[in-house]
Amino acid sequence: MPEGDPPLTLRDLADIPVSRLRGVGEKKEKALASVGIQTVLDLVQHYPRRHLDRTREARIAELRKGDEATVFGEVRSSSTRQLRGRRTLTEVVIGDGGHQLTLTFFNQRWREKQLQPGMTLMVHGKCDFFRGNRQMTGPVVDLVGDQTGRIIPVYPQSEKSGLLTRDLASFVREALARARIRGFADPLPDDIRSRFGFVTRGAAIEGIHEPETMTQKDEARRRLVFDELLRVQLELVRRKRRIERETAGISHRLEGELVERFHERLPFPLTAAQERAIAEIGADLALERPMHRLLQGDVGSGKTVVAVTALLAAIQGGHQGALMAPTEVLAEQHHLGVTSLLDDLMVPDPTTLMGDRPLRIELLTSRIGAADRRRILADLVIGRVDLVIGTHALIQDRVEYASLGLVVIDEQHRFGVEQRAALRDKGDAAAAPDVLVMTATPIPRTAAMTVYGDLDVSELDELPPGRTPIVTTWARREAEVARVWETVRDEVGAGRQVYVVCPLIGESEALDVSSATETYESLTGGELRDLRVELLHGQMPSTEKAEVMERFRTAATDVLVATTVIEVGVDVPNATVMVVLDADRFGIAQLHQLRGRVGRGATASRCFFVADPTTADGETRLEAIVASTDGFHLAEVDLDLRGEGTIMGERQKGRNDLRLASLVRDREWVGTAREVAVALIDADPELEDHPGLADEIALLLGDDEAEFLLKS
Ligand code: ADP
Ligand code: MG
């Protein structure tokens, strides 16, 4: 390479095939390709899975029976014996100083060739004693060879490719040595680098592959993690801003008589969190671009008041609002709730004689008769309906609006992308409606920033005052379970009502139903014999379901035995006990949702999780849910337990540029990357002044990938 060439960019590295490296012949080239490494960029981004600190390795002499340890040693001898049948046993003896350790491998005759006397190995496994000698059966073996550093990178190995961590380390070493001539370009502006005390790109790449200390490795990782997160956020923010520039929306004003009247008649002051969310939403509504915001808040945090405020802002400006729920039962419940909240509210209307007219709210579900339906549809077209409540049927083609200004979607996770897109098309041709998505299943804000890249997030992280906390009990032993049913009978005796949620079988709805039916029969024949118990499950016809719900709502039933159909939203303040059977089969979020069905009135409520978990995860979930009623905290625990895969979706995770970064481990950096991205894009929308960053994004986050991030 001629002297004076500019530093290497990632694109430069992507243009160099690995075959250009010394030691990479045809065979290794194939092997590397089989693990996705074709270019020098692929190679330097093939990060070590872990790093071994040789100062912490165990000495063979120290190993006791049962110890799981990492040991370095030199191969002394290896041999293979034929066992009965066609089995073979290969024994490799390694030593450090005067002590020896025997490694045994079954049916791995090739080990004899692989591990030849004189080689240095790192082995990891469990120490055992056999006839007085230390031994490890089937340990993990890395040929560290002549890697002399104190810190040894361990690369992901693949038996199939035949590549050893030693090979990878030597290719990387070669690549880095060659790159050192020109050095690595650093696309991150200096001021950002120094603000966070990051090492340079070059130091980071070297530091992750060939650190001299663990601290150096950590610093390197921190920088590379930030780079990955920043690229994703830059792309998300850039696209978001583009959409905002290109889609016209309606400017709504929060200030106005209708919103004022509504707030004045509320029997309680807003919580600080509600005020904050309303202000955030108000600022979005005022802009002439469509809002796209997520409102996260625990059950009972008062999302409805916030949503209704936004809807009224649209209505007072002469537009219409739509409120969509995931099920008809929930739509009906919203209709009841919102109607009573807005009972007799008058809309200021200078064109009428009195200067006022009643607010018109309509429910539109499949249970609305044909004639009513026709009338509602006709009135929606001419703008005579202010607010319509329903399910996703509200965005069917047949529903037309005079001027749809705001759509509120409750329980976002039940709605797909297509429906969201369809909604946008419902607005005037000229302007798209604003969209507010509400969820009572919060996901950590930092995860939301990546998963819902195009949504802004508001949070209600505070419950209205005066709530009596729900007492949660984990009933595990028989005696404890017996006490649960005792409590149920006592509460019913005191005039309260109870939910019993049945085991989730999961394999099919039919199984869930039969489990619910069984539970119902055993309870009515046993523990709850004299009580008025009814069964509710997903396969009942919807009219029947509604009747059962209605009887429960009006307290004609004491106990509702149900499958998870009650998971979302039913609101019966007199129900004060929730019993979840086989609770270890549910996820944390689901358990939290179920618990939220009680504690809606003034009386103290109780929640019982009946479970004798068979897995460690089940145990941890129950411990967590019993210990906290804070949905945001539980969301963090859930993310820790399940990892980001469940949030991002396997496909999404597999494709994205997050190789080192973890939404769990690096969560605080997500927020930082978002902030930095917003500042950069707002100053330079298409990154024209940062061609290095723009180029890396183009290189590493193809169009498909960015689409994906936006689509979750
Ligand atoms: P969410 O939809 O977030 O689960 P809701 O909007 O249904 O919660 O509100 C739960 C209950 O709290 C309702 O009965 C509502 O009237 C009441 N509520 C809402 N905001 C407040 C407040 N600021 N102070 C007291 N009660 C409130
Ligand atoms: Mg709600």
Side-chain angles (χ1 to χ4, degrees):
M1 277 171 246
E3 225 176 300
D5 275 346
L8 293 159
T9 62
L10 297 188
R11 191 176 289 280
D12 293 332
L13 301 181
D15 287 339
I16 310 172
V18 272
S19 57
R20 295 263 305 272
L21 296 172
R22 209 176 334 135
V24 181
E26 221 170 283
K27 212 168 130 213
K28 294 287 185 202
E29 190 184 350
K30 270 216 185 96
L32 285 166
S34 77
V35 292
I37 301 175
Q38 287 174 321
T39 69
V40 171
L41 177 64
D42 299 332
L43 183 66
V44 300
Q45 287 196 332
H46 192 71
Y47 297 116
R49 193 158 35 96
R50 60 202 155 99
H51 293 80
L52 294 168
D53 188 345
R54 291 206 53 183
T55 59
R56 301 186 55 173
E57 76 194 54
R59 308 286 303 171
I60 292 176
E62 297 163 0
L63 296 182
R64 283 164 316 175
K65 186 174 159 57
D67 282 355
E68 202 177 305
T70 302
V71 174
F72 285 78
E74 197 188 282
V75 177
R76 299 270 159 87
S77 66
S78 52
S79 62
T80 299
R81 278 191 282 140
Q82 191 73 39
L83 300 179
R84 240 172 306 157
R86 309 198 55 185
R87 305 211 313 151
T88 60
L89 174 67
T90 303
E91 289 187 321
V92 177
V93 178
I94 65 169
D96 66 352
H99 299 275
Q100 297 202 334
L101 173 69
T102 305
L103 316 177
T104 59
F105 304 94
F106 288 98
N107 295 333
Q108 295 180 33
R109 197 180 260 278
W110 54 273
R111 291 282 190 187
E112 203 182 326
K113 250 210 195 112
Q114 181 202 22
L115 309 175
Q116 300 199 0
M119 284 181 163
T120 337
L121 315 181
M122 179 218 84
V123 301
H124 181 88
K126 198 165 174 184
C127 179
D128 220 332
F129 276 79
F130 186 68
R131 296 196 181 132
N133 294 319
R134 290 187 176 82
Q135 162 174 319
M136 278 185 185
T137 304
V140 176
V141 176
D142 285 305
L143 293 179
V144 292
D146 53 357
Q147 297 187 78
T148 47
R150 279 186 9 166
I151 311 290
I152 295 184
V154 179
Y155 291 93
Q157 302 185 80
S158 128
E159 292 293 343
K160 206 172 67 215
S161 72
L163 286 170
L164 303 170
T165 185
R166 183 190 55 175
D167 298 327
L168 285 160
S170 85
F171 300 149
V172 169
R173 186 171 336 112
E174 153 96 2
L176 293 183
R178 291 235 225 151
R180 225 162 271 142
I181 303 166
R182 283 170 62 180
F184 291 100
D186 196 333
L188 193 65
D190 284 341
D191 58 321
I192 297 173
R193 209 180 67 221
S194 59
R195 187 168 127 211
F196 299 106
F198 288 134
V199 299
T200 60
R201 171 64 69 71
I205 293 177
E206 302 228 358
I208 198 87
H209 290 289
E210 301 185 324
E212 279 172 12
T213 63
M214 287 306 240
T215 316
Q216 195 185 349
K217 181 265 296 178
D218 291 340
E219 295 282 288
R221 183 179 184 281
R222 199 162 71 94
R223 168 63 206 267
L224 294 171
V225 161
F226 183 78
D227 285 358
E228 288 180 356
L229 294 171
L230 181 64
R231 282 193 290 264
V232 170
Q233 292 302 333
L234 280 172
E235 184 59 8
L236 290 173
V237 173
R238 177 163 65 172
R239 284 178 179 244
K240 178 172 156 59
R241 291 287 190 261
R242 262 185 217 151
I243 295 169
E244 289 166 1
R245 280 199 304 274
E246 287 161 11
T247 322
I250 306 163
S251 168
H252 305 286
R253 288 170 49 82
L254 262 189
E255 303 74 27
E257 211 174 327
L258 188 59
V259 169
E260 249 166 56
R261 285 181 188 179
F262 171 56
H263 284 183
E264 271 163 19
R265 45 189 273 156
L266 282 177
F268 42 72
L270 295 174
T271 64
Q274 283 171 323
E275 300 262 19
R276 185 166 15 92
I278 288 172
E280 286 165 358
I281 291 167
D284 273 5
L285 289 178
L287 299 175
E288 271 178 35
R289 57 163 174 83
M291 169 173 77
H292 202 182
R293 186 171 278 275
L294 176 69
L295 177 63
Q296 304 202 103
D298 259 335
V299 167
S301 58
K303 293 186 290 295
T304 313
V305 170
V306 175
V308 167
T309 302
L311 288 164
L312 294 179
I315 292 166
Q316 77 189 351
H319 303 283
Q320 294 160 295
L323 172 54
M324 303 201 319
T327 65
E328 303 220 316
V329 172
L330 286 173
E332 281 161 22
Q333 214 150 62
H334 266 311
H335 181 243
L336 280 179
V338 171
T339 309
S340 75
L341 207 54
L342 299 179
D343 194 24
D344 296 333
L345 191 67
M346 299 297 282
V347 182
D349 183 352
T351 66
T352 59
L353 195 57
M354 309 299 293
D356 269 336
R357 64 173 179 80
L359 179 78
R360 173 128 170 244
I361 308 173
E362 291 289 355
L363 174 68
L364 196 61
T365 63
S366 64
R367 300 203 311 164
I368 301 294
D372 282 339
R373 187 178 178 79
R374 232 172 299 136
R375 185 178 45 81
I376 294 168
L377 288 176
D379 286 350
L380 272 170
V381 186
I382 55 172
R384 244 190 239 157
V385 174
D386 297 302
L387 172 57
V388 62
I389 300 175
T391 63
H392 57 271
L394 291 187
I395 55 166
Q396 278 168 359
D397 287 342
R398 277 172 298 144
V399 187
E400 283 174 52
Y401 299 82
S403 173
L404 184 57
L406 174 70
V407 177
V408 175
I409 304 174
D410 194 12
E411 297 305 343
Q412 179 268 345
H413 56 290
R414 303 281 166 114
F415 281 94
V417 192
E418 299 78 19
Q419 284 145 327
R420 227 150 83 184
L423 258 178
R424 291 192 166 175
D425 297 340
K426 277 285 158 191
D428 298 357
D434 288 313
V435 175
L436 179 67
V437 173
M438 304 197 283
T439 176
T441 315
I443 67 170
R445 178 185 278 270
T446 52
M449 277 176 196
T450 309
V451 180
Y452 309 119
D454 59 338
L455 270 80
D456 295 296
V457 181
S458 290
E459 289 178 347
L460 295 183
D461 53 6
E462 171 188 7
L463 291 182
R467 294 275 159 82
T468 325
I470 301 166
V471 178
T472 308
T473 311
W474 174 5
R476 181 168 209 160
R477 276 168 260 287
E478 229 171 280
E480 291 164 335
V481 179
R483 236 169 299 147
V484 172
W485 301 121
E486 229 170 80
T487 310
V488 167
R489 286 192 303 269
D490 289 350
E491 287 285 312
V492 170
R496 314 261 171 252
Q497 292 163 277
V498 177
Y499 296 106
V500 177
V501 174
C502 294
L504 185 76
I505 308 292
E507 277 143 37
S508 76
E509 206 182 333
L511 282 178
D512 286 349
V513 168
S514 82
S515 118
T517 311
E518 260 172 49
T519 307
Y520 168 79
E521 277 162 9
S522 110
L523 286 175
T524 47
E527 288 92 341
L528 307 182
R529 193 170 309 124
D530 331 310
L531 310 184
R532 297 172 300 172
V533 184
E534 284 208 71
L535 177 64
L536 181 70
H537 63 69
Q539 287 193 335
M540 289 164 45
S542 61
T543 47
E544 202 177 315
K545 266 191 279 194
E547 283 161 21
V548 172
M549 269 321 300
E550 190 51 32
R551 282 195 292 276
F552 191 68
R553 207 160 18 222
T554 54
T557 310
D558 303 317
V559 180
L560 190 63
V561 175
T563 53
T564 45
V565 288
I566 61 157
E567 182 191 335
V568 191
V570 288
D571 196 354
V572 180
N574 191 47
T576 56
V577 180
M578 165 66 66
V579 181
V580 182
L581 300 176
D582 281 3
D584 55 325
R585 288 175 176 261
F586 296 85
I588 286 186
Q590 239 178 340
L591 292 174
H592 183 57
Q593 280 289 311
L594 288 169
R595 177 168 54 188
R597 298 302 112 212
V598 295
R600 309 210 136 205
T603 3
S605 290
R606 318 205 44 167
C607 177
F608 294 99
F609 293 125
V610 177
D612 192 5
T614 51
T615 64
D617 264 8
E619 190 107 359
T620 315
R621 285 199 296 272
L622 279 154
E623 275 164 12
I625 192 85
V626 169
S628 170
T629 52
D630 176 351
F632 290 95
H633 169 72
L634 290 171
E636 296 276 349
V637 174
D638 202 23
L639 186 58
D640 275 340
L641 268 182
R642 299 194 302 158
E644 60 229 39
T646 43
I647 289 187
M648 311 256 312
E650 280 309 316
R651 210 167 140 226
Q652 194 180 3
K653 192 174 130 203
R655 294 174 53 129
N656 70 38
D657 176 36
L658 303 181
R659 288 161 182 263
L660 270 182
S662 147
L663 296 184
V664 180
R665 187 168 157 197
D666 305 304
R667 64 187 72 172
E668 66 278 28
W669 284 109
V670 177
T672 308
R674 177 73 159 203
E675 265 168 47
V676 170
V678 167
L680 281 171
I681 295 288
D682 283 350
D684 177 16
E686 291 299 333
L687 293 173
E688 280 158 5
D689 300 333
H690 299 94
L693 285 173
D695 190 49
E696 286 190 359
I697 292 167
L699 179 68
L700 296 167
L701 292 161
D703 264 3
D704 286 2
E705 182 145 329
E707 285 298 318
F708 238 38
L709 286 166
L710 288 174
K711 270 190 169 173
S712 46

